[in-house]
Amino acid sequence: MAVMQFQQLAYFLAVAETRHFTRAAERMRVAQPSLSQQIRALERDVGAALFHRIRGNVTLTEAGETLLPIARRILAETESAYRAIRELDELGRGRVRLGATPSLCTGLLPAMLAAFRRDYPGIELVLHESGSRDLQTALSEGGLDLAMIVDSRVHDDARLESRALFVEDLVVISPKDAPAPVRGRMPIAALRGQPLVMFRQGYDLREATVAACRAEGFDPLFAIEGGEMDAVLELVQAGLGLAVVPSTVVGDRFRRTRFTEPGLNRVVRLAYRRDVEQPRAVRALQEAVVQYLGGGVARLPPGMRPLVGR
């Protein structure tokens, strides 16, 4: 069917719904004589009158009643096809602003985003690295499309929706060439009096460590505070103190000491705005994250347990 015939069907539907040629022309933003001309051309094409025009009253003929549901279906399917094509084009040139904590940027994200990039090379990825509190603020204010943040933060903001991705164990790290702080697993109470390298305000790791210590009846001792993830790791390596970090960032550089059961861990969630319709490129990354973690694509680091189905 030619483009003009689609336009004729759209004009026909406007008249059928308004029962008025002038109002239909206003809806379609065309001059009324042009609309009437196209309706007459459509009637010639189908070989039957579509409207009764009696003293200003416009009603459908039997042929018009027959054509009406067909026209609606054709126009709806055409719009769906255009929308699908636009979304495919968007996947070829979209842009996604993703926020993540420094530990995720160090441990999980490089391999995951590399896999996504192979599937969608045209989508521009913008990565914003910060603590969970800052990421939540940026997401709520529209500065991010998605954010991987710690569970405790998500429920503070009614504008956010989220999905649990995985549980990540927290461990104590110390220089590899230094004695272990304790033999075997370490109770949280053993952190009492130990100098700690502490993250800056706004990091969930800082708050988790402080809360765990206070639950045992003491305030932690800070040897130095205010660092980002890379700085904390380097300061521990230099011997300034211990640090509580996700097990996924430790690697082979440090001595790793696990906590006694039930230990310390955190749930990482993928958060997004509930009041915003996400572009196709953003939805594609959401689906890719879930597939990567739960579909057997990834070899997840030790200490990380997925919460999405495998």
Side-chain angles (χ1 to χ4, degrees):
M1 184 176 287
V3 173
M4 182 59 70
Q5 290 173 308
F6 280 118
Q7 187 180 60
Q8 289 171 350
L9 288 178
Y11 289 165
F12 163 75
L13 186 60
V15 176
E17 292 178 347
T18 63
R19 302 301 172 100
H20 199 282
F21 277 80
T22 300
R23 286 196 291 270
E26 292 172 351
R27 175 193 289 188
M28 301 304 297
R29 298 182 180 179
V30 296
Q32 191 271 331
S34 296
L35 181 138
S36 297
Q37 182 180 1
Q38 292 301 322
I39 293 295
R40 287 194 294 271
L42 178 60
E43 289 175 325
R44 287 195 300 270
D45 289 342
V46 301
L50 299 173
F51 296 102
H52 295 297
R53 305 167 177 84
I54 303 174
R55 297 179 182 177
N57 294 323
V58 178
T59 59
L60 288 166
T61 65
E62 184 177 355
E65 294 282 3
T66 301
L67 180 60
L68 182 60
I70 299 172
R72 283 178 171 151
R73 185 175 66 252
I74 290 173
L75 292 172
E77 290 177 352
T78 301
E79 176 57 29
S80 295
Y82 285 150
R83 186 181 301 113
I85 291 170
R86 286 195 298 268
E87 289 188 347
L88 286 174
D89 182 57
E90 181 182 324
L91 284 179
R93 56 179 177 82
R95 182 172 183 263
V96 185
R97 302 165 300 167
L98 173 66
T101 63
S103 61
L104 295 173
C105 292
T106 301
L108 175 69
L109 282 184
M112 186 177 71
L113 294 183
F116 179 78
R117 183 73 174 174
R118 286 192 296 271
D119 292 336
Y120 301 101
I123 293 181
E124 178 188 358
L125 294 172
V126 180
L127 183 61
H128 182 74
E129 179 180 351
S130 191
S132 289
R133 178 181 297 175
D134 298 335
L135 292 175
Q136 177 172 307
T137 299
L139 183 64
S140 296
E141 293 177 351
L144 295 173
D145 300 304
L146 300 169
M148 297 177 70
I149 61 180
V150 175
D151 181 73
S152 61
R153 289 283 162 214
V154 181
H155 306 294
D156 296 341
D157 194 326
R159 290 173 293 184
L160 299 186
E161 190 72 56
S162 68
R163 179 172 185 173
L165 296 177
F166 56 86
V167 178
E168 190 174 24
D169 291 336
L170 303 183
V171 298
V172 178
I173 59 170
S174 54
K176 201 166 187 179
D177 57 358
V182 299
R183 290 184 178 181
R185 289 181 176 258
M186 182 177 188
I188 294 171
L191 291 176
R192 184 191 297 267
Q194 291 277 8
L196 298 181
V197 178
M198 186 51 62
F199 297 91
R200 66 171 173 82
Q201 293 282 354
Y203 269 62
D204 61 280
L205 290 168
R206 177 192 180 106
E207 296 179 6
T209 303
V210 171
C213 291
R214 288 177 175 169
E216 294 294 321
F218 67 96
D219 285 321
L221 173 64
F222 296 165
I224 187 170
E225 61 178 312
E228 305 281 346
M229 177 60 70
D230 288 343
V232 167
L233 296 178
E234 292 301 322
L235 291 167
V236 172
Q237 183 72 24
L240 272 76
L242 309 177
V244 177
V245 300
S247 61
T248 53
V249 306
V250 177
D252 297 327
R253 296 174 54 197
F254 301 94
R255 185 184 298 277
R256 177 200 314 247
T257 303
R258 298 185 181 278
F259 286 106
T260 53
E261 297 296 339
L264 282 181
N265 57 50
R266 62 182 189 172
V267 176
V268 174
R269 307 181 72 94
L270 184 64
Y272 47 92
R273 289 278 296 272
R274 69 171 71 228
D275 56 344
V276 174
E277 184 177 354
Q278 301 291 356
R280 185 66 184 90
V282 175
R283 298 200 305 273
L285 181 56
Q286 286 179 286
E287 294 163 5
V289 169
V290 172
Q291 176 64 25
Y292 185 86
L293 292 171
V297 177
R299 295 183 61 184
L300 299 181
M304 180 183 293
R305 300 180 296 282
L307 295 175
V308 289
R310 285 189 176 273

